[in-house]
């Protein structure tokens, strides 16, 4: 006698379903990935996380900030334009809310609500920078609607206050991919991004002998230095020279990030928002955005 | 330079990548998305490889990541599946192709947890308790979800005469 469950199904039913499911999977296309390819992807992801984590820890040292969700009215099409940027690139009309959702998804659970603050276009593709409650993230939109996280930093840092006219929040690097195994080549890069005070309209970022200058967008800036795929990551990424200018070209900020410049900034209620180094005199922290 | 554990990881992908993708396909019904789900899961696996090798079954962990990645998509409406009245690839359908498409459509109509329960119970051969732990639901939920899922698939398989129509008098009351 057949053994049936309370719904009247027996082992034969389950076996038939099992066979049918197996047949469904028989006709799949060849595998599009390999162990070696995933190994490279995993290494790249780990390298970016380590570098971003190191930067975030360094930046967060001595910081205790009450965090609020940033809200900002941003341009319909945020875009940083590097000086001397390469030729014409594909123009895509983005739905920014969807960009934020897809980038959050790529970063995995815990990303929270994100907003796009800046977009950088160059020969390497399209890179977005997003901020959330206590997270900043780079997100590659080159193959939109695919969005791939390109490094993120999170912690107790928060983004409600600015330590001076210009902050450096996002630093990431990749050695790129030379192509092959059905994948397009991807150049290596070093990325630097952050927030600025409202009067800062232009930011120059120097990495080694290279300098890129961009306009600020939504009180943020974002630059990317490209290099050939396979080239070793730059050991000097921690040491970035930042200069911020106002609309008249006056220099408002000039510092190197290794080590982070000392300073002390107070909120209006007198509490310390940032203190890096043994500073006794504190300046007013700047609200952002 | 590739280390020993990285070589193990590459070997694992070579040995189990196809099977994981098959599970992903049964979960999502689309080979491209299945490939995405599998790669995402395997990249996450790489990040914790050395830890899980010492503490639990690699297969179990990979399966857990895969299913959770799939279930997480339900919170992202732009990735939700829509059941089309007519699936593509209908030209020149054979009986076997008909059955496959009907089966896929039946799977697509199942709610995500129900579908995952069917795949885990009847494809991955997991027990009720294991399935419940993986899905984060009670064993009762797994039993009812897999039973309802089986009922939906049974209708398709009855049509192709792989399963005999039920006779009510044989049911256990």
């Amino acid at each position: 006698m057949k053994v049936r469950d309370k719904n009247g199904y027996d082992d034969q039913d389950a076996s038939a379903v099992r066979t049918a499911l197996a047949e469904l999977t028989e006709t799949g296309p060849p595998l599009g990935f390999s162990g070696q390819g995933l190994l490279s992807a995993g290494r790249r992801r780990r390298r970016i996380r380590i570098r971003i984590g190191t930067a975030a820890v360094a930046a967060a040292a001595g910081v205790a900030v009450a965090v609020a969700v940033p809200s900002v009215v941003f341009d319909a099409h945020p875009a940083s334009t590097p000086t001397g940027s390469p030729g014409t690139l594909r123009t895509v009309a983005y739905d920014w809310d969807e960009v934020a959702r897809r980038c959050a998804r790529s970063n995995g659970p815990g990303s929270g609500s994100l907003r796009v603050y800046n977009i950088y276009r160059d020969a390497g593709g399209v890179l977005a920078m997003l901020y959330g409650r206590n997270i900043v993230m780079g997100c590659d939109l080159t193959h939109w609607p695919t969005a791939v996280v390109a490094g993120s930093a999170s912690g107790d840092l928060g983004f409600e206050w600015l330590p001076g006219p210009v902050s450096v929040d996002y630093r990431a690097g990749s050695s790129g991919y030379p192509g092959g195994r059905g994948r397009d080549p991807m150049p290596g890069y070093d990325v630097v991004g952050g927030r600025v005070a409202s009067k800062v309209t232009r930011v120059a970022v120097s990495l080694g002998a290279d300098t890129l200058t961009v306009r600020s967008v939504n009180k943020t800036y974002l630059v990317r230095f490209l290099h050939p795929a396979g080239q070793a990551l730059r050991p000097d990424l921690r040491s970035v020279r930042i200069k911020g200018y106002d609309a008249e070209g006056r220099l408002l900020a000039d510092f190197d990030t290794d080590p982070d410049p000392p300073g002390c900034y107070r909120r209006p209620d007198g509490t310390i928002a940032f203190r890096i180094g043994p500073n006794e005199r504190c300046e007013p922290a700047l609200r952002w955005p | 330079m590739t280390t020993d554990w990285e070589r193990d990881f590459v070997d694992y992908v070579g040995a189990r990548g196809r099977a994981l993708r098959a599970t992903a396909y049964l979960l999502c019904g689309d080979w491209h998305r299945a490939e995405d789900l599998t790669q995402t899961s395997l990249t996450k696996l790489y990040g914790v490889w050395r830890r899980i090798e010492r503490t639990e079954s690699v297969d179990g962990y990979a399966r857990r990541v895969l299913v959770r990645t799939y279930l997480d998509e339900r919170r992202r409406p732009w990735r939700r599946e829509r059941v089309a009245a007519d699936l593509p690839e209908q030209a020149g359908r054979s009986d076997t192709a008909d059955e496959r498409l009907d089966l896929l459509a039946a799977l697509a109509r199942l709610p995500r947890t129900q579908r995952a329960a069917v795949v885990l119970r009847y494809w991955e051969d997991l027990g009720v308790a294991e399935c419940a732990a993986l899905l984060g639901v009670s064993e009762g939920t797994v039993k009812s979800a897999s039973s309802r899922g089986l009922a939906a698939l049974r209708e398709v398989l009855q049509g192709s005469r792989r399963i005999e129509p039920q006779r009510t008098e044989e049911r256990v009351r």
Side-chain angles (χ1 to χ4, degrees), chain A residues 74-81 91-96 116-121 215 217-218:
Chain A
F74 55 90
D75 299 346
H77 298 280
S80 289
T81 309
T91 303
V92 177
Y94 294 100
D95 172 342
W96 299 116
V116 180
Y117 277 78
N118 212 322
I119 292 276
Y120 190 86
R121 297 179 175 89
R215 289 194 314 272
V217 177
N218 299 317

Coordinates of all heavy atoms in Angstrom, one line a residue, chain A residues 74-81 91-96 116-121 215 217-218:
Chain A
F74 N 19.4 67.4 -5.2 CA 20.5 67.3 -6.1 C 20.1 67.5 -7.5 O 18.9 67.4 -7.9 CB 21.3 66.0 -5.9 CG 20.5 64.7 -6.0 CD1 20.3 64.1 -7.2 CD2 19.9 64.2 -4.9 CE1 19.6 62.9 -7.3 CE2 19.2 63.0 -5.0 CZ 19.1 62.4 -6.2
D75 N 21.1 67.8 -8.3 CA 20.8 68.0 -9.8 C 20.2 66.8 -10.4 O 20.3 65.7 -10.0 CB 22.2 68.3 -10.5 CG 22.9 69.5 -10.0 OD1 22.3 70.2 -9.2 OD2 24.1 69.6 -10.3
A76 N 19.4 67.1 -11.5 CA 18.8 66.0 -12.2 C 19.9 65.0 -12.7 O 19.7 63.8 -12.7 CB 18.0 66.5 -13.3
H77 N 21.0 65.6 -13.1 CA 22.1 64.7 -13.7 C 23.4 65.1 -13.1 O 24.1 65.9 -13.7 CB 22.1 64.9 -15.2 CG 20.9 64.4 -15.8 ND1 20.6 63.0 -16.0 CD2 19.8 65.1 -16.3 CE1 19.4 62.9 -16.6 NE2 18.9 64.1 -16.8
P78 N 23.7 64.7 -11.9 CA 25.0 65.0 -11.3 C 26.1 64.5 -12.1 O 26.0 63.4 -12.7 CB 25.0 64.3 -9.9 CG 24.0 63.2 -10.1 CD 23.0 63.7 -11.0
A79 N 27.1 65.3 -12.3 CA 28.3 64.8 -13.1 C 29.5 65.6 -12.8 O 29.5 66.9 -12.9 CB 28.0 64.9 -14.6
S80 N 30.6 65.0 -12.4 CA 31.8 65.6 -12.3 C 32.5 65.5 -13.7 O 32.4 64.5 -14.3 CB 32.7 64.9 -11.3 OG 32.2 65.2 -10.0
T81 N 33.2 66.6 -14.1 CA 33.9 66.5 -15.4 C 35.3 66.7 -15.2 O 35.7 67.8 -14.8 CB 33.3 67.6 -16.4 OG1 31.9 67.4 -16.4 CG2 33.9 67.4 -17.8
T91 N 25.8 58.4 -23.4 CA 24.9 59.2 -22.4 C 23.7 58.4 -22.1 O 23.0 57.9 -23.0 CB 24.5 60.5 -23.1 OG1 25.7 61.2 -23.5 CG2 23.7 61.3 -22.2
V92 N 23.4 58.2 -20.8 CA 22.3 57.4 -20.4 C 21.5 58.3 -19.4 O 22.0 59.0 -18.6 CB 22.8 56.1 -19.6 CG1 21.6 55.4 -19.1 CG2 23.7 55.3 -20.5
A93 N 20.2 58.2 -19.6 CA 19.3 58.9 -18.6 C 19.1 58.0 -17.5 O 18.4 56.9 -17.6 CB 18.0 59.3 -19.3
Y94 N 19.6 58.3 -16.3 CA 19.4 57.4 -15.2 C 18.2 57.7 -14.3 O 17.9 58.9 -14.2 CB 20.7 57.5 -14.3 CG 21.9 57.0 -14.9 CD1 22.9 57.9 -15.5 CD2 22.2 55.7 -15.0 CE1 24.0 57.5 -16.0 CE2 23.4 55.2 -15.6 CZ 24.3 56.1 -16.1 OH 25.4 55.7 -16.7
D95 N 17.6 56.7 -13.8 CA 16.6 56.9 -12.7 C 17.4 56.8 -11.4 O 17.8 55.7 -11.1 CB 15.5 55.8 -12.9 CG 14.6 55.8 -11.7 OD1 14.9 56.4 -10.6 OD2 13.5 55.2 -11.8
W96 N 17.6 57.9 -10.8 CA 18.6 57.9 -9.6 C 18.1 57.1 -8.5 O 18.9 56.5 -7.8 CB 18.8 59.4 -9.2 CG 19.4 60.2 -10.3 CD1 18.9 61.3 -10.9 CD2 20.7 60.0 -10.9 NE1 19.7 61.7 -11.9 CE2 20.8 60.9 -11.9 CE3 21.7 59.0 -10.8 CZ2 22.0 61.0 -12.7 CZ3 22.8 59.1 -11.6 CH2 22.9 60.1 -12.6
V116 N 22.2 59.0 -4.6 CA 23.3 59.3 -5.5 C 23.7 60.8 -5.4 O 22.8 61.6 -5.5 CB 22.9 59.0 -7.0 CG1 24.1 59.3 -7.9 CG2 22.5 57.6 -7.2
Y117 N 25.0 61.0 -5.2 CA 25.4 62.4 -5.0 C 26.3 62.9 -6.2 O 26.5 64.1 -6.4 CB 26.1 62.6 -3.7 CG 25.2 62.9 -2.5 CD1 24.5 61.8 -2.0 CD2 24.9 64.2 -2.1 CE1 23.6 62.0 -0.9 CE2 24.0 64.4 -1.0 CZ 23.4 63.3 -0.5 OH 22.4 63.5 0.5
N118 N 27.0 61.9 -6.8 CA 27.9 62.3 -7.8 C 28.1 61.2 -8.8 O 28.0 60.0 -8.5 CB 29.3 62.7 -7.2 CG 30.0 63.7 -7.9 OD1 30.0 63.7 -9.2 ND2 30.7 64.6 -7.2
I119 N 28.4 61.6 -10.0 CA 28.7 60.6 -11.1 C 30.0 61.1 -11.8 O 30.2 62.2 -12.1 CB 27.6 60.6 -12.2 CG1 26.3 60.1 -11.6 CG2 28.0 59.9 -13.4 CD1 26.2 58.6 -11.6
Y120 N 30.8 60.1 -12.1 CA 32.1 60.4 -12.7 C 32.2 59.6 -14.0 O 32.1 58.4 -13.9 CB 33.3 60.1 -11.8 CG 34.6 60.6 -12.3 CD1 35.0 61.9 -12.1 CD2 35.4 59.8 -13.1 CE1 36.2 62.4 -12.6 CE2 36.7 60.3 -13.6 CZ 37.0 61.6 -13.3 OH 38.2 62.0 -13.8
R121 N 32.4 60.2 -15.1 CA 32.5 59.5 -16.4 C 33.9 59.7 -17.0 O 34.4 60.8 -17.0 CB 31.5 60.1 -17.4 CG 30.0 59.9 -17.0 CD 29.2 60.5 -18.1 NE 27.8 60.3 -17.9 CZ 27.0 61.1 -17.2 NH1 27.5 62.2 -16.6 NH2 25.7 60.8 -17.0
R215 N 34.6 70.0 -10.8 CA 33.7 70.9 -10.1 C 32.9 70.1 -9.0 O 32.7 68.9 -9.2 CB 32.6 71.4 -11.1 CG 33.1 72.4 -12.2 CD 31.9 73.0 -12.9 NE 30.9 72.1 -13.3 CZ 30.9 71.4 -14.4 NH1 31.8 71.6 -15.3 NH2 29.9 70.6 -14.7
V217 N 29.7 68.9 -7.1 CA 28.4 68.6 -7.4 C 27.6 68.1 -6.2 O 28.1 67.2 -5.5 CB 28.3 67.5 -8.5 CG1 26.9 67.2 -8.9 CG2 29.1 67.9 -9.8
N218 N 26.5 68.7 -5.9 CA 25.7 68.4 -4.7 C 26.6 68.4 -3.4 O 26.5 67.5 -2.6 CB 25.1 67.0 -4.9 CG 24.1 66.9 -6.0 OD1 23.3 67.8 -6.2 ND2 24.2 65.8 -6.8

